[in-house]
């Protein structure tokens, strides 16, 4: 079955950087887009970055554009999200999802990894 396992979360100071990773299994990784979604307490899920399969097209939400990066590795079936110049409002549970997803749709997703931005 589809499995998506996130790792790499933690506490980071404002202005700092962190990389979170998603390990995918149970489906044909090479033909599927992957989306990173985040959910902060009391807020709706928000997609932040997504990467297509063959074209490797990338898209970022306006809230993270210019600060976050996304990359996929076909050999290891992983998708990394680089968080740079982080802000307190980047604090959230970061979740990866299979597909070109929005925040609240039914794409299969993992359990998430917590990122907290705090001084």
């Amino acid at each position: 079955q589809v499995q998506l396992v996130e790792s790499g979360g933690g506490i980071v100071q404002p202005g700092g950087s962190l990389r979170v990773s998603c390990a995918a299994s149970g489906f044909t990784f090479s033909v599927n887009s992957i989306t990173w979604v985040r959910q902060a307490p009391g807020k709706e899920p928000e997609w932040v970055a997504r990467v297509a399969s063959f074209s490797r097209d990338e898209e970022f939400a306006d809230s993270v554009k210019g600060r976050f990066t996304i990359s996929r590795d076909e050999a290891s079936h992983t998708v990394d999200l680089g968080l740079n110049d982080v802000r307190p409002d980047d604090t959230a549970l970061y979740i990866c999802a299979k597909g070109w997803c929005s925040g609240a749709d039914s794409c299969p997703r993992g359990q998430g990894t917590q990122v907290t931005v705090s001084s």
Side-chain angles (χ1 to χ4, degrees), residues 9-10 16 19-20 30 34 47 53 62 65 74 83 89 95 100 112:
R19 179 169 294 268
V20 294
S30 62
I34 299 291
W47 76 270
S53 53
D62 288 344
K65 199 173 293 182
E74 303 301 326
L83 292 72
D89 62 2
I95 304 160
W100 194 260

Side-chain angles (χ1 to χ4, degrees), residues 4-7 36-37 93-96 109-114:
L4 298 156
V5 180
E6 302 89 342
S7 61
W36 277 98
V37 174
L93 184 69
Y94 283 75
I95 304 160
C96 69
R109 54 193 66 194
Q111 297 296 307
T113 185
Q114 179 67 36

Side-chain angles (χ1 to χ4, degrees), residues 4-7 19-24 27 29 32-36 49-52 69-74 76-82 96-97:
L4 298 156
V5 180
E6 302 89 342
S7 61
R19 179 169 294 268
V20 294
S21 185
C22 171
F27 63 96
F29 181 80
N32 280 277
S33 302
I34 299 291
T35 299
W36 277 98
R50 45 200 184 192
V51 59
T69 62
I70 190 168
S71 62
R72 59 186 292 156
D73 186 295
E74 303 301 326
S76 62
H77 293 188
T78 56
V79 177
D80 288 352
L81 181 72
C96 69

